[in-house]
Amino acid sequence: MNRGKAQVLFKYTPGAVFQDQGPWCIVTHFELSNEKRSYTGLLMALENYINQWHKPDHGTLFPNPTERPDKFDIGTVTKVHYELFPLVMRCSRCGEMHWYNTPRNLREHNPEGRCRNKSCGGNLTQYPYAYVHENGDIQPLIAPKSPNDDYSKLFMKDTGRFLSSYWYYGPTKTTIGKNGLGVRTTRGESPQSIGSHKIMRGVRLDQGEVYFCHNISVVDIDLEAIKLREEHEHFGALQLGAFLKVPSFESAKYGDMFSISDSKTDDKRAAEDQLSKALSKVQDLPPELLLALQNYKQVHSVENNAAKRVVEEVNQITGGWFSNDLVKQDKALIEMNYCQYEVPRAKSLDHLISEAGSTNQFVVQNQLVEARNIAHELGLKDLIVHEEFPVILAAIGYTRAKKNPGEAILRPFPANPAASLKHKIPIPIAKNKNEAVMFSLEAKRILAWLYVNDIFSKPDSKVSEIEASAYLYRYLQLYSEDAYSLADQDISDATNVAGLLVFQLLHTMTHMLIQAGKKHIGLDTDSLSEYIFPSTCSAAIYVAKHHEFSLGALVATFRHDLSRWLKATREVTSSCLYDPVCSSGSGACHACTYLKFACKHFNRGLSRILLTGGHFKPVDRNIYGYLSAEVNRVKESI
């Protein structure tokens, strides 16, 4: 069978049971392409994800991805191997049960798949039932024995439900067993169970709890290439300068600032002086080559001066409290800068406004200006639309019966049995470039929101947006906190309450934009996903349909219908189908805020109250919402 790469990652990973216009089968393993690049960013995201599943009573089945990258086999799927499952069957004519140990046993003893009763000769079909366990086990039905201590003349009364179906002996119509289809305990060779629950549960194979494949998405950045930039002595200041958008920063020269030639040692300066002297003495060089060399030296001199100005301005704004090591550990900051300045075919809202004006498209320009004003009212800034947002989708493991941490065990996929790969955990990936929209929360509004809610102190003097961003970056400490642990923290136990609340605010705003977008973008919420950059208070919403093409719905909405999308965001934030129950509770539910599949934080830490205001149960008091008039008033005074 031929399947798309992304389709395989969702439905045909090892352990998955499927039926495609034929018998039920189970995937045993797959083969991956030999990827020669390292996936440092993916391994870091994998470590963050599996840490959520680490429990003292059962630990984790994964080695540490960043410490043992050699234990993982990463690549795109080239071939899927599967076999028949289950092997407890019935005759399509007489209904008698047949049972085989293995697919090989079936091939050897009944290659045609016919009833053992020669006078019948009906085809064998599978019973669509199995046993699953929270530890990841799946086992076929127990094949019962007849009163004659064999497997003949046995039938199932199939009601369509596991609990009410039962076995019986044909000649006497006697029910076999006391528990219908029976129960089954784990074999003991798989990971230990959750708590003391040892019984496997019976399910129909077409039910969702048979198999949950777990996937993560990461921005496709080769962090090994980033490491070359980290050699620059001002790496931290230049990254912060790009994030803060200091006055001398030029987005078009973002990558050039990290050239090692811009960070000159004495040896490099001496070498350049020797090159200059040599050039001045050369008489036989063609004029065009001599001019090119002189221009190259002059361009790099200008870039060096530009980088120096950025460093000076960052040091002046921050007072030099940051370090290169601090910024190097902030993966989110590096990813956000990359997506803003180095991903091709990305345009900011301001650029589109200017572009529309320069081409005399004044109606379009007015619409975009209106959208910018509404974004400002929502506390949003730096809106950017991408046509080629680089995303890696990776399947990392599976669970059965339950899909959330604490309720099941996350199992890695079984390894390829090939000798060179049998000790490696396979991680299949799909790489695509999809449409996306990026945005950031206004730093001054965040400061005002924290201040009016008695969480953060007010700055001693009035600050600019750049200074507010630097202030938050320093004191929220989201660069040292993992977004996943933040999403699961209890406010009362959080050491960094401000950081936790800002993350939850950003997370909620992202969900509300997605919920509002389903009407205006023309895509349902399952087709959109989120990627959060916590330390920069930024996020991206991207098309999660991992196809090789894009219909352009998100880009078209951003260019022509952004104002209505943003207005709808305010509307969906203010009400829910289940209000007042929802707003008087957590302020988040499946009808207004939750995403079924696209939230890698499992819909935790969400609350519309953070945006609209009201009684916020985690702190047990009323709070002002991020969108409230009081926050806007205080923002103007900061």
Side-chain angles (χ1 to χ4, degrees):
M1 62 179 184
N2 294 318
R3 293 292 181 268
K5 294 177 183 177
Q7 187 182 17
V8 169
L9 267 59
F10 285 105
K11 294 185 60 177
Y12 302 99
T13 46
V17 181
F18 66 91
Q19 183 185 43
D20 284 340
Q21 298 179 350
W24 286 98
C25 297
I26 188 169
V27 179
T28 57
H29 66 281
F30 43 33
E31 298 177 19
L32 303 180
S33 62
N34 183 16
E35 300 282 342
K36 296 183 179 180
R37 61 170 280 195
S38 60
Y39 287 93
T40 308
L42 174 58
L43 292 174
M44 292 170 63
L46 174 59
E47 179 181 6
N48 292 334
Y49 191 85
I50 63 177
N51 281 343
Q52 298 178 92
W53 299 80
H54 179 79
K55 301 294 180 183
D57 57 339
H58 61 72
T60 178
L61 301 174
F62 292 81
N64 187 297
T66 55
E67 294 178 1
R68 296 301 307 273
D70 58 304
K71 290 292 185 179
F72 295 87
D73 177 27
I74 301 175
T76 56
V77 179
T78 58
K79 186 180 294 185
V80 174
H81 295 261
Y82 57 93
E83 62 184 24
L84 202 64
F85 176 90
L87 296 175
V88 182
M89 308 181 185
R90 64 183 292 273
C91 174
S92 60
R93 286 186 183 176
C94 68
E96 186 175 352
M97 185 201 76
H98 293 64
W99 170 67
Y100 298 90
N101 284 317
T102 63
R104 180 178 179 180
N105 182 258
L106 173 63
R107 289 194 300 269
E108 290 177 351
H109 293 89
N110 192 353
E112 294 181 355
R114 298 297 181 94
C115 180
R116 67 168 69 92
N117 187 345
K118 294 183 179 179
S119 62
C120 175
N123 294 322
L124 297 185
T125 61
Q126 299 156 296
Y127 290 113
Y129 297 102
Y131 297 94
V132 296
H133 195 276
E134 291 91 335
N135 66 13
D137 274 347
I138 185 168
Q139 297 175 24
L141 288 174
I142 301 172
K145 286 189 176 182
S146 71
N148 299 324
D149 201 31
D150 59 19
Y151 296 99
S152 63
K153 306 299 182 182
L154 290 170
F155 299 83
M156 178 194 289
K157 177 61 177 178
D158 188 359
T159 66
R161 298 178 65 246
F162 181 88
L163 293 177
S164 57
S165 300
Y166 59 90
W167 299 106
Y168 65 93
Y169 182 56
T172 63
K173 306 296 182 181
T174 305
T175 301
I176 305 295
K178 297 180 180 180
N179 298 308
L181 296 182
V183 296
R184 193 163 191 175
T185 58
T186 57
R187 293 171 292 181
E189 60 189 50
S190 297
Q192 53 267 47
S193 61
I194 301 294
S196 59
H197 181 60
K198 302 292 184 181
I199 303 301
M200 303 189 78
R201 60 188 295 185
V203 294
R204 283 185 60 93
L205 293 179
D206 53 6
Q207 293 177 332
E209 60 263 40
V210 172
Y211 186 80
F212 296 103
C213 182
H214 289 258
N215 299 274
I216 58 175
S217 297
V218 296
V219 176
D220 187 10
I221 297 179
D222 186 357
L223 291 183
E224 296 302 316
I226 297 295
K227 287 187 179 297
L228 297 176
R229 294 180 177 179
E230 291 179 356
E231 297 179 16
H232 196 293
E233 63 178 317
H234 297 301
F235 175 80
L238 295 175
Q239 288 286 1
L240 280 179
F243 158 55
L244 298 174
K245 296 181 177 62
V246 295
S248 61
F249 171 70
E250 299 178 58
S251 59
K253 294 183 179 180
Y254 169 75
D256 295 330
M257 292 193 306
F258 298 97
S259 172
I260 300 302
S261 63
D262 296 341
S263 180
K264 296 179 183 177
T265 62
D266 292 339
D267 291 340
K268 288 177 181 175
R269 291 191 182 92
E272 285 191 359
D273 290 341
Q274 291 179 1
L275 175 62
S276 298
K277 292 178 181 178
L279 286 175
S280 65
K281 295 179 180 179
V282 172
Q283 302 295 330
D284 299 330
L285 279 177
E288 61 274 13
L289 178 57
L290 183 60
L291 181 61
L293 287 170
Q294 291 172 341
N295 288 340
Y296 175 83
K297 185 174 182 302
Q298 183 179 9
V299 167
H300 274 260
S301 175
V302 172
E303 290 173 350
N304 179 43
N305 291 334
K308 281 183 177 179
R309 288 195 298 270
V310 170
V311 172
E312 290 170 358
E313 290 174 353
V314 169
N315 286 327
Q316 182 179 2
I317 292 169
T318 64
W321 52 259
F322 65 92
S323 66
N324 272 352
D325 290 338
L326 174 69
V327 177
K328 286 177 184 177
Q329 74 179 3
D330 187 1
K331 174 173 165 281
L333 172 64
I334 297 170
E335 287 182 340
M336 194 275 293
N337 282 340
Y338 172 85
C339 291
Q340 273 201 320
Y341 306 121
E342 297 195 277
V343 173
R345 303 183 71 183
K347 292 186 177 181
S348 68
L349 179 57
D350 289 338
H351 178 87
L352 292 177
I353 291 173
S354 176
E355 187 179 71
S358 63
T359 55
N360 298 326
Q361 300 180 59
F362 299 117
V363 174
V364 174
Q365 185 183 37
N366 290 336
Q367 291 174 342
L368 293 173
V369 169
E370 180 188 9
R372 182 171 62 184
N373 294 335
I374 299 172
H376 182 68
E377 294 173 4
L378 290 173
L380 305 179
K381 66 174 184 178
D382 298 334
L383 275 74
I384 298 174
V385 62
H386 288 270
E387 294 185 41
E388 297 180 356
F389 190 71
V391 176
I392 294 178
L393 174 69
I396 60 176
Y398 65 95
T399 59
R400 300 195 194 275
K402 305 286 184 178
K403 63 179 180 179
N404 294 326
E407 299 175 348
I409 290 179
L410 181 64
R411 291 278 290 268
F413 299 127
N416 187 323
S420 61
L421 298 171
K422 64 181 180 180
H423 298 299
K424 292 190 175 186
I425 294 175
I427 304 291
I429 62 173
K431 295 181 284 187
N432 289 291
K433 295 181 178 180
N434 294 347
E435 303 165 78
V437 169
M438 288 180 63
F439 69 92
S440 300
L441 299 182
E442 288 184 357
K444 289 187 67 172
R445 184 181 282 266
I446 293 175
L447 274 179
W449 179 66
L450 294 172
Y451 171 68
V452 298
N453 288 305
D454 299 322
I455 298 168
F456 236 43
S457 59
K458 191 176 182 179
D460 296 332
S461 58
K462 199 162 186 176
V463 295
S464 65
E465 180 68 17
I466 291 176
E467 292 169 330
S469 295
Y471 188 84
L472 289 174
Y473 187 84
R474 178 179 184 181
Y475 290 107
L476 290 184
Q477 299 179 351
L478 286 172
Y479 46 80
S480 61
E481 295 280 2
D482 180 71
Y484 301 99
S485 63
L486 280 172
D488 201 28
Q489 274 185 345
D490 181 5
I491 296 285
S492 60
D493 295 332
T495 56
N496 182 6
V497 174
L500 174 57
L501 286 175
V502 170
F503 176 84
Q504 294 180 344
L505 171 69
L506 175 62
H507 191 199
T508 303
M509 178 66 84
T510 306
H511 276 234
M512 300 321 297
L513 283 165
I514 292 175
Q515 293 286 357
K518 63 186 177 184
K519 176 180 179 181
H520 298 284
I521 300 173
L523 298 172
D524 58 33
T525 54
D526 296 338
S527 301
L528 298 172
S529 191
E530 63 181 354
Y531 195 91
I532 296 177
F533 310 95
S535 60
T536 64
C537 299
S538 306
I541 297 170
Y542 64 91
V543 177
K545 295 291 187 182
H546 293 267
H547 300 309
E548 298 297 333
F549 63 91
S550 173
L551 296 176
L554 191 60
V555 173
T557 302
F558 189 94
R559 286 176 172 269
H560 305 293
D561 208 12
L562 180 58
S563 58
R564 290 207 299 167
W565 180 11
L566 296 177
K567 286 179 182 177
T569 302
R570 186 86 187 228
E571 293 170 2
V572 299
T573 300
S574 61
S575 64
C576 171
L577 178 65
Y578 294 110
D579 278 343
V581 176
C582 178
S583 58
S584 62
S586 64
C589 70
H590 68 277
C592 63
T593 313
Y594 292 168
L595 303 178
K596 284 189 290 186
F597 305 111
C599 181
K600 64 180 179 182
H601 305 297
F602 301 99
N603 291 314
R604 295 175 301 197
L606 298 170
S607 179
R608 290 182 295 117
I609 296 169
L610 296 170
L611 295 167
T612 61
H615 187 76
F616 191 51
K617 284 192 173 182
V619 295
D620 194 24
R621 63 182 176 88
N622 288 334
I623 66 169
Y624 288 101
Y626 180 73
L627 303 179
S628 68
E630 177 65 13
V631 170
N632 189 58
R633 183 188 66 80
V634 173
K635 184 194 78 169
E636 300 302 324
S637 65
I638 291 181

